[in-house]
Structure formats: C-alpha cells, structure tokens
Amino acid sequence: MTKSNKAPPAGFTREEARRRLLAGREYVGVDRIDGPLVFVKNTHPVGYRELVEIVDPRGATRLGIVLDTAADVVVVQVFEGTSGLTMPGTHVRFRGEPQRIGVSERMLGRVFNGLGQPIDGGPAPAGDLEVDVNGRPINPTSREYPRDFIQTGISVIDGMNTLIRGQKLPIFSGNGLPHNELAAQIARQAKIRGTETQFAVVFAAMGVKHDVARFFSSSFEETGVLDNVALFLSLADDPSIERLITPRTALTLAEHLAYNLDMHVLVIMTDMSNYCEALREISTIRGEIPSRKGYPGYLYSDLAELYERSGMLQGYKGSITQMPILTMPNDDISHPIPDLTGYITEGQIVFEREMHGRGLYPPVAGLPSLSRLMKDGIGEGMTREDHPHLASQLFAAYSYVKDVRNLASVIGEEELTPLDHQYLEFGEAFERKFVSQTQSEDRTIEQTLDRGWEVLTMLPAEELHRVTETEIEKFYGK
Amino acid sequence: MDERIIGQVRRVNGPVIEATGVTDAMMLELVRVGEVRLVGETIKLSGDSAIIQVYEDTTGIAPGDNIYGSGSPLSVELGPGLIGTIYDGIQRPLEEIRNLSGSFIERGISLPSLNREKKWRFQPAALKSGQEVSPGMVLGTVQETQGVEHRILAPPEAAGTLKSLAGPGDYTVTEPIGAVAAAAGEIPLFLMHRWPIRTPRPIRERLRVSHPLITGQRVIDTLFPVALGGTVAIPGGFGTGKTMTQHAIAKWCDASIIVYIGCGERGNEMTDVLTEFPKLIDPRTGRSLMERTVLIANTSNMPVSAREASIYTGATLAEYFRDQGYHVAVMADSTSRWAEALRELSGRMEEMPAEEGFPAYLPTRIAEFYERAGHVSVLSGQEGSVTIIGAVSPPGGDFSEPVTQHTKRFVRCFWALDRQLANARHYPAISWLDSYSEYLGEVTAWWEREVGPAWTRDRAEIMELLQREVRLQQVVKLVGPDALPDSQRFVLEVCNLFKNAFLQQSAFDDIDRFSSAQKQMKMLSLILTFWRRGAEAIRKGVTLVRLKRLKILQEVIKMKFNLANEDLASFDRLAARLERSLGQLESVYDEEQ
Ligand SMILES: Nc1ncnc2c1ncn2[C@@H]1O[C@H](COP(=O)(O)OP(=O)(O)OP(=O)(O)O)[C@@H](O)[C@H]1O
Ligand SMILES: [Mg+2]
C-alpha cells in the first residue's frame, strides 16, 4: 500500500518517453458524446484506464477515465456526466496516470462526493499519500484468516449469523425495509469484547436519497461518533456514473486507515443495486453483449474487485469489515445483483418482507441468512462453548417450523400432531423473543445465547439432536 | 529469455489487446506487453494483426507499446518443489511474489515457478548408458516431502539413448543430471522440464475405472461414489456448500496428490486452506496434508484471463503427477467462473455469442477439460489417475443454465446441492434425489470385496426407502401424517433417522468429518437393522410411538460423533444392543397378546 507505483520503469523506450511528454496535452473538441461516454479521435497514444480531465464550455473541470483506447479513437467515461458538454467546446486532457486520490486520517469527520472532493464546505484535507483508487489484488498468502467475533448486540446476528472482524457481510433487503436502521445500529453497537477499540466508519452512498444520507449522519452524530466517520455521497440526483467510482474512493481511504494507520474500519456501502445499474448503463451504451437481465458478463468480477477489498493482512493490526446493503429488485434473491453478491461475500443477512409486516425488527429471515466465517469465531474462548451447537439446533428447529407452518396451511392446525404444535409455539417464541428486539437494544452474547436456550426449552429434549447431553444438562430449562 | 519485438499495441480493451505490425508471432505464444512486461498470450493471428490475452491488469498500456515474443508457448514448470506451493493462474509462486511486492500483487513480476536455488537429493534409477530412453520414463527419484516421492521423468523430447546419468547427489532443478542422444542431437536432462498448459500430456492407454475414490463423506461414498479417474460436477447456488465439500474431499480423500484450483473465488478461502492444511494430519501417511497438496489461486479479484488459464495449469500439474504413477484428485472451484472468463474474453473480442453470451465453443472447452481426467497406463507403464471434481455456480441456483447443462453432458457423476437442505443446515446439502453416479456399477465389486458383501443390497434398500419417502411425503402434505398407517409412517421415521444419523455430516467435528468405508458400511447396516426389525415389530402390532421411544435410538443418532473410524467393534456392540432392545419390545408385545 505504502508503495507508489508512480515511478517510470527504468529504461523506457522512445515511444514511452514521447507519451510521457504528451501527457497533459489538451485536445479541443470531441467527436461523439453518448450518455456518459465521450469519444476523442486522433490523440497521442493514451493509456488504458488513464485519468482524464474534461473541461466543459463553462470552464469547469470534470474527471473521467479511459475505458477503451485505440490508435484512432479513445473512449472516455465521464464521472460527473456529460450534460452541458458540447462537441466543439469541450477540452480534454489525458493525465498519463491512473486516477489517484489523496488519503489521510483527516478525512474522518468529513463529507465528500464520490470522487473524494469535499462537499461539506471545508477545504480539501491534505493527503498523506496519493493512491490509485483501483487498488491492487491482495495476495492470498498475505491474508490473515479473520476470526475475531464482533458483538453487534443483535441476537439474530450474534447468535446465528455472527459477524467477524474483516468479514464482508451484506444485507439483502427490499424497498421500504429497515436496512438503514439495522446498518446504523450495527455501526453504533459493534464492539470487540474486552477491547476498547472503536471502529472507524467509511460510508459510501450510491444513488440513495438525501434523507438516507441524512439519516446516517444524524445517527452517527447522536452517538457522538461522527468524528470517526468519513462519508462519500453520490446521491440520487448526482450523475449516475459517479456511483461507479464512489465505492472505490471509499475503499481506498479504508485501506489507508486499516493498513497504514492500524484502524479497524467498517465500510458501509449502500445501495449496491444502484451501483450495478450504473454499470449496466455504461455497458449498454457501449453495445456489449449482456449476460442476465442486461447486466454485463463482468458484473461478478467487477463486484469482486470491490468486495474483496476487505479482510485482515498478516503483520497489520487494522482490518476492513464490509457491510454492503442492496435492495433486491422485486424481493427476488435470484436476481443477478443479490445472486452475484452472495457468490462473492462471506454470507448474507436476508430480510423478509413478511416478518416486517408482522412488526418484527430486525426482519431477518432465519434460513437464507448465513455467516460463513462464524465457524471459526465462536465457541469456547471466543463466545461460549455451547454457541456452535446451539446455533445449529436453532436453525434445524426453525427450519422444521417452516415445514410445519406449510403443512398447517394445507391441512389446518387442528390436524397437526401434538409435537408439531409444540414446534409452532417454539417458532412464534423464537421470532418474538429471540429475533425481535428494539433499535436501541444492545444484548450481550450471553443474553443472546440464554434467550436461545429459553426458546429451545419449549421443545422436548429428545428433539434436540444437534446439542450434546452435557449442553442439555447445563443449559436446557435453566 | 530471448526476446524479440513481434508487434505493437493498436487497441486496449480490458485484458484483450489488438496488436498490429505482427509478422513473426506464434499462435499461443507467451508474450510480454509494454515496458512493464505484462504477461500475455497470442490467441488469434490474422494478416499482420494479432489478439493478445493479457494475464495482468492492463492499466496504462497504450497504443504503440511494444509486444515482445518469448518464442515458446505458455507453459508450466514441472519438477520438485511443486508440492505445498501456492501459485497464481499462470504458475507464478505467490509466496515469492509477496516477498517481492508485499501484501498486494504488483504487475509485471517475472519469477521462475520452481525455486532455482534449492538443492534436491536425486537418486538415479538403475539405468545404463546406451540404454534406450523414451519420454515419460522414470530417470530417478527425489524425496520431495516425507509423503511424496517425486519421480523424475524424461522430458517430451528425450527419445533416444542415454548418454549419461548423474549419480546420487544434490542438484538444483537447473543443474544437468545427464543427457540423452536423440535424433535432433544431445538433449540435457534436468530435474525439471516444461509443458504447455493447453496440451494434454500423452499416455500409453486409458484403462477402465474400477476403484472408488474414498472421500470420507458418507453421502458421496455410499450413495453417489466417484471412481479414481472419474469426473464429477458439484452444482449449487451460493452458500450451498460447494467449497466446503471440496475442502473436505481435499482433506480426507485417499488420493496421493491433491491439486486445488481456486478459480475466481474468495481470497479468504485460499488463506483458509493455507492455514489449515499444514496443521491437519493425513490419516493414511501421518503427515501434514499440505505435503500432498498443490494450490492454484486465482481469486475473483485477480485478472480474469489468468482465471481462464488456471484450470489448464491445474490440469497439467495433475497429469504430471499421474505420469509418475500417482492417483491425483483435482478440485476446481469454480468452473463457472472459468466459463465466465471465457465469456468475457470472447465478448471483448467481439465474437458471436451463443447462449447467455457464452461463446459457441463453451461445450467443447468444458469437454476438453473433463477429458483430462482418467484412469490410465502412463508412458512408463505404471498406473495413475486424475479425478476431476468441478464446482458449478449456476446463476440463481438454476440448473438449466448453459454451464451446468453442458457440464452434465461431460461428467459421469453429479452431486446436486439443494438450497432447501442448505437452508435447513442439512450438510452436506447433496440431494439424494437429484444426484447420480454412473460409477456405481464399476465400484460395486470393490465395495463388496473390501468392505462387505451386502453393500450393494443395503445401498439399494436405503435408496428405495428414500424414494418411497418422497411419495409418502406428498400424501402427508395433503392430509397430514396421522392419516398414514404406522407401517408407512415408520418409513418416514427411518428416512429421518438416516438423514440425521448418516447423511448429515459435520465438517467441523473431529470424529465426524471423515468416515472410513468400513464405518460407513457399519452405520448403514445398523440403520437398516432398525428398519427391518422395526417393520417386523410393527407387523406384529408394536406401535410406532413405542418404537420411537427406544432409548438406544439417541445413541444411533449420535454414533457418527461418538464412535471413531478405528472403533468398528463398538458399532457391532451397538448393533447387538439395538437388536436386543427391539427383541424385548416385540416379546413384551407378544406377552401382552
Ligand atoms: N459439510 C458442512 N458442514 C458444516 N457446514 C457446512 C458444510 N457445508 C457447508 N456448510 C456451511 O455452509 C456455508 C457455505 O458453504 P460453502 O462456502 O461451501 O458454499 P459454496 O457453495 O461454495 O458457496 P459459493 O458459491 O458462494 O462459494 C459454510 O460457510 C458453512 O457454514
Ligand atoms: Mg464456494
């Protein structure tokens, strides 16, 4: 990270030398404008993904990057959009280097646009370091496998879908469901037990409304953590294309904070669906062959470039925990956006509209939710010795509840066996006493696990195949 | 390396580069692009232009940049030093890259795949000068790890007579250990040689498959076995357990060598293997599992074209160990990401797409990959095999999509992961209704001979019960369980027991994570004893409720956790006690009558 790859390679060719001299040269007039794309002909050789400055007829500078470069024409994607650009009146400068942003600790407590320019009225903070926003892939041999339990104070997460420091765990939600509330509650309550370390929060908003951004900033303000938060906002009325760079800018700061300044960083990115739509927009304009639902075939790799920028590294104290939020179009989990996200992230917290309708908060669906890293972060010495089996038992029992409910809806509750009735009652209690809590309720892991046993006690002990006899003796009915 | 300029960049579109001024380039030649020397490969030649697939991020590459040819195809290095190493998709050693560029992978790094300094103790085979040498012949051995004897093979061009062969001693992979006089002149011999990744290594002949690969996973070995040299697909939506299943097999199966390809998947999963495998002990050799494993990691955020290559790199390494007479198991997670890499590259080359944007040659490529599996007689006359187990990640978990469908045509074993089972935390979530194995007939003889003569009958009986359960469940869904007579409800009970006690297997439990073939057979027959004797008891009038209340059933459910592989006698004791309890129940009932 600290390494800059700015230095030209030794002994570059005449061609390269010429290009370096030409970098910064300004072209007047462009040849085509199509959506957020600008086409410039007859340039000097321009590098792929080079940073571009576009000066509009009124003299304001916008930023863009090179999406395609050929000897005859260069395609530039303009982050601030092309509205107001004219073909003859636009000036284009190729900068000869990839897009970088200056990053520093002083960015905490501040608000920026998607490109990292301050929009809170304050001056641009001086950067400690200029970094390429695209990052570089982490070498898998230098990762440290994440295992530290984060207590969020939310039972259904801590108990059954445990969040681990360095994990990427998205929230799959739907329009109108309380995903922002849950994310804010997690950001407020998240702690590593036995330590005082605070999470720094990097918040990236893509295409969300002003009030969502305001909700988060006032939530951070109320708890007095705003000084520990950097917000990158590319809101619904900003050019959609800016959303493509916003998470990259945010993650670049997160990496600096985590790996150069030893901080534990929680990155909240919302709404990934808007990000994906912007990607689809560009792809369509470029006439690329789509895969499913018009999304480009590289959506998986593109999302992976973002989501994989999380975790822990050997020899570094800091970490990046990601909590992307996405709204599932039509609540459909098989839609490409949640689907591809689920294939990359380390589990998912899935919201269920039906639970929300019944007044349950958080409306986390018991079965499709999953934390893949929980296995190594729970149990004796980390949470409590009964945690792994208890969680597995709760899942198994709740899954049977779902079957019984289906059956009851066909044959009627009266026809159920006494045991099945017990399961129905357990299901109710599980949802009301275990899953459900208030937005300010911060339960310790012990309280969560005890509640788990409390509801399990409604089932006969012989039904509990996933816990051991010792555990039953110690916790069942206590 | 000899470098020559073969042309200049004309256009850069992601990992695909169009070159002009190309006069002297080879198809599939390894090339380097620009002054940062990004690794690439020529994949199309026409007139004076070429298309180059670049294995690294092309940021900054501009029209006019030079393209340098290496004169040889993209190849892997084969020799001592592979075991325990983690490579990227084009066999660059990731540990050493880390030493050079830190935690993040920089571009343009060029490193040999095999360590050049390390000396290996070479033990020559009993060969005499003047003796005939042919490719694939064993020239000697190097004890690479405690568990793996690396057999040094004569390289592909070494057909002729042996001129010299070094005595026992320590050599690096580039110090000559002898020479062969071939038609084309003298060919020096080394501990290593190179092989182009896209060309399958030759064999003497294909053999019938007959021996199962014992994976230690009960649902696999007992219900849907795979043979050594076989091909398997594991399709499943996200989070259904493809990776966990492959990890479990990589850990506990009885192959001699494991090649694990992380193809477009998570970084942390590779880290997991890297941290866990060295600590786990192979029950057969008593050595660390890392001492039989080669890892290829081209994670989802690493360049997409190297992902395309990683599958071939892995297959070539596997074939190389097969050629030494080993049984090799290849895990490829996930072949869908590889297919998507093909799609992306094809799209950037503006080829005509077929289904869902995939190129028309997708099925051919899938077939070619799985064809690299097989049980064979290798060039040196020994027997070896490559078993390929490929994960498939269908979009939306829908198996009708092209990659799953085409894969199904070319594999003979299909472990379908079921979303419902995974959601209910029934792991491994391998569906007993949608999965199949065409190897059943071929491995039956082994099971009957090595494990128990009743294997075929027992397996068929439980499969039949599972089918009956499906039909009964349909009735239950309409009218509730109470409408069924006890004899039919007992079928549901037994199937439930079988699912809980046998099919579910925890990857995290020290005892349960791996079951020997013998343990599997004992467990199955215990459950069938309960079925046969219980059905008998019900016929005699014993009620289902009494049967279900048998105390010993709790022990049957937990036998997988409590009774170890070595503890076969305990299973017999448990079976005897089960018989006795059932006998008592019946006799009490007889008296009441
Ligand atoms: N045999 C098993 N024992 C216990 N838990 C399992 C088992 N198989 C799967 N799981 C659970 O399911 C989770 C997901 O499994 P896995 O990572 O293998 O899914 P996957 O199919 O590879 O998903 P993806 O396609 O997203 O990579 C695991 O993290 C683990 O919690
Ligand atoms: Mg996986």
Side-chain angles (χ1 to χ4, degrees):
Chain A
M1 266 320 291
T2 38
K3 222 153 119 188
S4 149
N5 44 7
K6 206 168 184 173
F12 49 86
T13 57
R14 259 188 39 224
E15 188 52 49
E16 285 245 323
R18 201 165 68 90
R19 220 169 80 208
R20 258 160 234 283
L21 286 176
L22 290 170
R25 184 165 149 180
E26 188 165 303
Y27 294 87
V28 182
V30 300
D31 296 275
R32 200 176 125 203
I33 304 175
D34 186 352
L37 303 184
V38 166
F39 297 72
V40 194
K41 282 195 175 154
N42 302 322
T43 62
H44 65 275
V46 170
Y48 181 65
R49 296 239 269 207
E50 210 171 89
L51 179 65
V52 187
E53 288 170 354
I54 300 104
V55 186
D56 67 22
R58 297 190 7 236
T61 304
R62 309 179 190 193
L63 295 180
I65 56 161
V66 173
L67 277 193
D68 192 328
T69 174
D72 44 356
V73 61
V74 173
V75 185
V76 179
Q77 165 183 315
V78 186
F79 291 121
E80 291 100 325
T82 49
S83 104
L85 295 188
T86 61
M87 302 236 290
T90 301
H91 296 225
V92 179
R93 273 194 301 268
F94 297 96
R95 294 286 305 273
E97 55 171 30
Q99 187 185 4
R100 294 166 194 279
I101 61 160
V103 286
S104 78
E105 196 173 359
R106 292 175 291 279
M107 292 171 83
L108 289 171
R110 302 288 309 273
V111 187
F112 305 89
N113 67 8
L115 297 157
Q117 297 152 342
I119 51 171
D120 53 3
D128 296 339
L129 204 61
E130 292 261 303
V131 198
D132 179 352
V133 295
N134 294 305
R136 285 259 170 257
I138 297 177
N139 189 325
T141 63
S142 36
R143 281 184 186 270
E144 175 93 44
Y145 196 75
R147 332 182 155 266
D148 301 327
F149 162 67
I150 297 180
Q151 179 177 300
T152 65
I154 297 160
S155 291
V156 66
I157 295 181
D158 294 351
M160 301 181 63
N161 302 286
T162 319
L163 178 64
I164 301 293
R165 188 152 68 180
Q167 185 171 16
K168 37 189 181 292
L169 189 66
I171 300 178
F172 288 7
S173 183
N175 291 316
L177 298 181
H179 42 266
N180 296 327
E181 286 74 6
L182 184 67
Q185 188 175 2
I186 292 172
R188 274 197 311 270
Q189 297 181 175
K191 54 177 111 16
I192 299 288
R193 302 221 307 166
T195 64
E196 286 304 302
T197 42
Q198 267 270 321
F199 282 90
V201 178
V202 172
F203 179 83
M206 281 100 45
V208 299
K209 294 186 208 81
H210 281 272
D211 39 347
V212 172
R214 205 168 316 116
F215 166 81
F216 276 100
S217 52
S218 53
S219 148
F220 296 135
E221 202 167 0
E222 273 162 33
T223 37
V225 294
L226 201 53
D227 286 347
N228 235 349
V229 181
L231 296 113
F232 293 86
L233 307 179
S234 163
L235 300 176
D237 51 4
D238 291 325
S240 68
I241 217 68
E242 190 185 319
R243 297 168 198 169
L244 291 180
I245 201 73
T246 309
R248 292 185 164 78
T249 312
L251 286 165
T252 304
L253 173 63
E255 283 171 344
H256 177 63
L257 298 176
Y259 307 132
N260 293 333
L261 301 172
D262 293 345
M263 292 187 198
H264 294 291
V265 188
L266 177 66
V267 181
I268 299 175
M269 304 193 283
T270 183
D271 175 334
M272 291 309 293
S273 302
N274 295 333
Y275 172 86
C276 296
E277 262 152 34
L279 205 63
R280 174 166 71 175
E281 199 178 315
I282 293 283
S283 172
T284 312
I285 292 170
R286 296 187 63 198
E288 291 170 341
I289 301 153
S291 65
R292 281 200 312 150
K293 300 217 158 127
Y295 291 92
Y298 49 80
L299 181 57
Y300 174 84
S301 304
D302 190 280
L303 285 174
E305 271 177 29
L306 303 179
Y307 296 145
E308 280 287 318
R309 290 172 80 172
S310 59
M312 317 237 313
L313 298 179
Q314 285 171 36
Y316 292 82
K317 289 208 192 75
S319 64
I320 297 178
T321 308
Q322 274 192 30
M323 182 155 284
I325 299 174
L326 59 88
T327 46
M328 300 182 277
N330 280 323
D331 293 347
D332 175 10
I333 197 171
S334 68
H335 183 282
I337 298 170
D339 190 51
L340 294 179
T341 298
Y343 272 123
I344 304 163
T345 52
E346 287 145 347
Q348 63 278 338
I349 303 291
V350 185
F351 276 12
E352 200 173 271
R353 196 168 293 279
E354 190 253 349
M355 287 179 81
H356 180 62
R358 285 163 54 210
L360 298 167
Y361 172 89
V364 175
L367 304 181
S369 301
L370 170 74
S371 162
R372 297 171 190 234
L373 298 188
M374 96 185 251
K375 59 179 162 56
D376 295 299
I378 62 169
E380 200 169 348
M382 293 170 286
T383 53
R384 204 168 75 186
E385 75 273 21
D386 56 316
H387 191 169
H389 289 159
L390 173 65
S392 162
Q393 183 63 66
L394 285 170
F395 273 120
Y398 189 57
S399 132
Y400 188 67
V401 169
K402 294 271 171 174
D403 291 345
V404 176
R405 282 183 185 167
N406 283 338
L407 183 60
S409 70
V410 182
I411 63 169
E413 263 189 46
E414 319 73 56
E415 296 295 314
L416 296 177
T417 62
L419 180 63
D420 286 353
H421 274 287
Q422 270 180 297
Y423 267 102
L424 283 187
E425 277 160 31
F426 158 78
E428 255 323 283
F430 173 77
E431 288 167 351
R432 299 265 166 217
K433 289 196 185 145
F434 182 84
V435 176
S436 178
Q437 64 188 85
T438 68
Q439 287 182 31
S440 55
E441 198 174 344
D442 189 357
R443 297 181 188 156
T444 66
I445 183 67
E446 288 78 14
Q447 287 169 336
T448 288
L449 298 176
D450 290 345
R451 269 173 195 263
W453 281 105
E454 191 188 324
V455 294
L456 268 190
T457 303
M458 304 180 66
L459 294 173
E462 309 85 72
E463 283 292 302
L464 310 181
H465 301 316
R466 308 247 176 139
V467 293
T468 64
E469 270 110 79
T470 348
E471 285 160 353
I472 290 196
E473 263 161 48
K474 191 159 169 199
F475 299 104
Y476 180 79
K478 298 293 139 79
Chain B
M1 207 186 290
D2 307 334
E3 264 190 351
R4 63 194 202 291
I5 294 179
I6 59 160
Q8 280 78 35
V9 174
R10 200 194 78 80
R11 176 182 175 201
V12 188
N13 180 2
V16 172
I17 284 184
E18 277 175 42
T20 54
V22 181
T23 45
D24 152 41
M26 246 176 14
M27 190 59 180
L28 300 184
E29 180 174 349
L30 172 71
V31 300
R32 301 207 174 251
V33 178
E35 300 322 300
V36 284
R37 297 291 201 275
L38 304 182
V39 183
E41 189 182 8
T42 50
I43 52 172
K44 252 183 210 171
L45 291 174
S46 104
D48 74 338
S49 57
I51 303 255
I52 290 159
Q53 165 175 338
V54 182
Y55 293 116
E56 302 181 75
D57 174 14
T58 49
T59 298
I61 298 295
D65 284 359
N66 282 327
I67 297 168
Y68 303 88
S70 68
S72 49
L74 183 63
S75 304
V76 286
E77 292 186 351
L78 303 170
L82 292 171
I83 299 287
T85 309
I86 176 166
Y87 291 109
D88 76 354
I90 50 173
Q91 214 205 5
R92 284 182 299 194
L94 284 167
E95 298 269 5
E96 284 176 45
I97 289 186
R98 181 181 170 203
N99 295 340
L100 271 184
S101 81
S103 302
F104 295 82
I105 302 176
E106 294 296 336
R107 302 183 303 162
I109 293 179
S110 169
L111 278 173
S113 305
L114 295 174
N115 187 315
R116 293 293 190 263
E117 266 89 62
K118 186 162 166 109
K119 295 224 178 225
W120 299 94
R121 168 60 49 96
F122 174 65
Q123 192 62 43
L127 299 174
K128 285 194 220 55
S129 300
Q131 188 172 341
E132 223 177 286
V133 173
S134 58
M137 194 166 156
V138 179
L139 302 172
T141 59
V142 163
Q143 195 67 40
E144 183 169 353
T145 67
Q146 296 265 1
V148 178
E149 179 190 81
H150 198 114
R151 297 164 191 154
I152 305 302
L153 304 179
E157 65 280 9
T161 52
L162 188 65
K163 225 173 144 233
S164 62
L165 185 64
D170 297 337
Y171 304 90
T172 67
V173 291
T174 48
E175 283 167 351
I177 53 157
V180 169
E186 191 176 305
I187 292 169
L189 299 171
F190 303 97
L191 292 181
M192 65 164 262
H193 66 268
R194 289 199 172 79
W195 190 269
I197 61 171
R198 296 182 196 278
T199 315
R201 287 173 61 89
I203 54 167
R204 187 175 281 179
E205 63 171 328
R206 281 185 178 263
L207 305 173
R208 261 191 77 227
V209 299
S210 59
H211 199 293
L213 174 79
I214 296 298
T215 64
Q217 308 303 301
R218 293 185 292 267
V219 57
I220 294 175
D221 295 341
T222 299
L223 297 190
F224 309 107
V226 53
L228 286 178
T231 47
V232 190
I234 316 182
F238 63 80
T240 48
K242 298 177 290 297
T243 305
M244 291 288 297
T245 306
Q246 290 195 318
H247 279 195
I249 297 173
K251 285 174 193 165
W252 310 118
C253 80
D254 62 354
S256 325
I257 305 284
I258 305 291
V259 177
Y260 193 100
I261 313 170
C263 173
E265 291 291 313
R266 301 173 184 82
N268 272 333
E269 289 173 349
M270 299 314 293
T271 313
D272 193 16
V273 174
L274 278 176
T275 46
E276 206 186 351
F277 276 39
K279 288 188 232 148
L280 293 171
I281 300 300
D282 183 344
R284 288 166 206 89
T285 58
R287 306 292 313 170
S288 133
L289 282 173
M290 205 60 194
E291 292 186 17
R292 64 165 195 182
T293 308
V294 188
L295 296 173
I296 303 197
N298 216 92
T299 55
S300 55
N301 55 342
M302 284 157 78
V304 67
S305 33
R307 193 192 296 169
E308 188 269 337
S310 65
I311 288 280
Y312 301 104
T313 300
T316 309
L317 298 185
E319 287 173 346
Y320 172 64
F321 283 104
R322 171 203 67 193
D323 292 348
Q324 298 172 38
Y326 287 118
H327 295 294
V328 187
V330 178
M331 310 293 143
D333 186 13
S334 154
T335 60
S336 293
R337 306 298 165 222
W338 163 71
E340 284 166 8
L342 281 180
R343 173 169 71 186
E344 179 170 348
L345 295 167
S346 158
R348 301 227 188 225
M349 289 186 280
E350 287 156 12
E351 293 174 339
M352 265 302 271
E355 304 147 275
E356 294 194 14
F358 287 106
Y361 48 78
L362 173 72
T364 322
R365 295 284 169 87
I366 295 177
E368 281 168 1
F369 170 59
Y370 283 105
E371 270 304 292
R372 295 182 79 163
H375 177 211
V376 305
S377 162
V378 304
L379 293 181
S380 68
Q382 289 176 300
E383 231 184 81
S385 72
V386 172
T387 308
I388 298 184
I389 301 175
V392 182
S393 317
D398 172 8
F399 290 1
S400 66
E401 58 90 39
V403 180
T404 317
Q405 282 307 314
H406 290 304
T407 303
K408 221 170 168 176
R409 291 164 54 200
F410 307 118
V411 297
R412 292 187 56 206
C413 195
F414 193 74
W415 299 330
L417 295 176
D418 184 285
R419 163 71 60 199
Q420 243 84 48
L421 291 177
N423 279 355
R425 271 53 176 180
H426 171 117
Y427 296 125
I430 296 178
S431 159
W432 48 91
L433 300 173
D434 302 333
S435 304
Y436 59 81
S437 167
E438 291 175 13
Y439 296 110
L440 203 59
E442 280 141 324
V443 302
T444 299
W446 182 91
W447 274 91
E448 293 188 343
R449 189 177 67 240
E450 305 288 328
V451 189
W455 187 75
T456 315
R457 190 197 67 196
D458 284 0
R459 183 192 171 279
E461 187 161 5
I462 199 72
M463 283 305 278
E464 204 229 293
L465 277 178
L466 291 169
Q467 299 293 337
R468 267 176 79 184
E469 190 217 7
V470 178
R471 291 193 297 275
L472 292 173
Q473 285 291 4
Q474 281 163 358
V475 180
V476 170
K477 285 213 176 88
L478 291 175
V479 293
D482 280 344
L484 297 181
D486 272 4
S487 61
Q488 295 192 335
R489 287 185 64 183
F490 187 54
V491 175
L492 302 183
E493 279 311 317
V494 172
C495 287
N496 238 335
L497 177 71
F498 182 65
K499 288 179 215 166
N500 275 312
F502 188 94
L503 292 181
Q504 286 183 24
Q505 188 168 358
S506 167
F508 309 134
D509 185 87
D510 288 345
I511 292 185
D512 194 32
R513 61 192 182 186
F514 159 75
S515 287
S516 67
Q518 285 73 13
K519 174 171 170 179
Q520 297 185 31
M521 177 84 206
K522 295 268 184 215
M523 288 175 67
L524 176 61
S525 85
L526 236 152
I527 292 167
L528 285 172
T529 300
F530 178 62
W531 157 244
R532 294 180 193 129
R533 293 289 315 269
E536 181 67 33
I538 287 186
R539 253 196 308 282
K540 288 195 179 148
V542 177
T543 60
L544 180 68
V545 180
R546 310 264 318 246
L547 265 176
K548 273 176 73 175
R549 248 190 243 137
L550 280 181
K551 271 248 144 25
I552 194 163
L553 282 185
Q554 293 297 328
E555 280 179 69
V556 175
I557 289 179
K558 289 181 179 159
M559 64 186 167
K560 59 181 178 183
F561 297 122
N562 296 334
L563 308 183
N565 287 318
E566 305 75 42
D567 207 4
L568 293 177
S570 295
F571 284 98
D572 295 336
R573 279 196 294 276
L574 185 61
R577 283 175 45 223
L578 178 65
E579 296 252 13
R580 220 174 307 133
S581 309
L582 285 163
Q584 273 164 9
L585 197 63
E586 275 182 35
S587 63
V588 169
Y589 211 80
D590 284 340
E591 277 162 31
E592 280 174 9
Q593 293 261 301

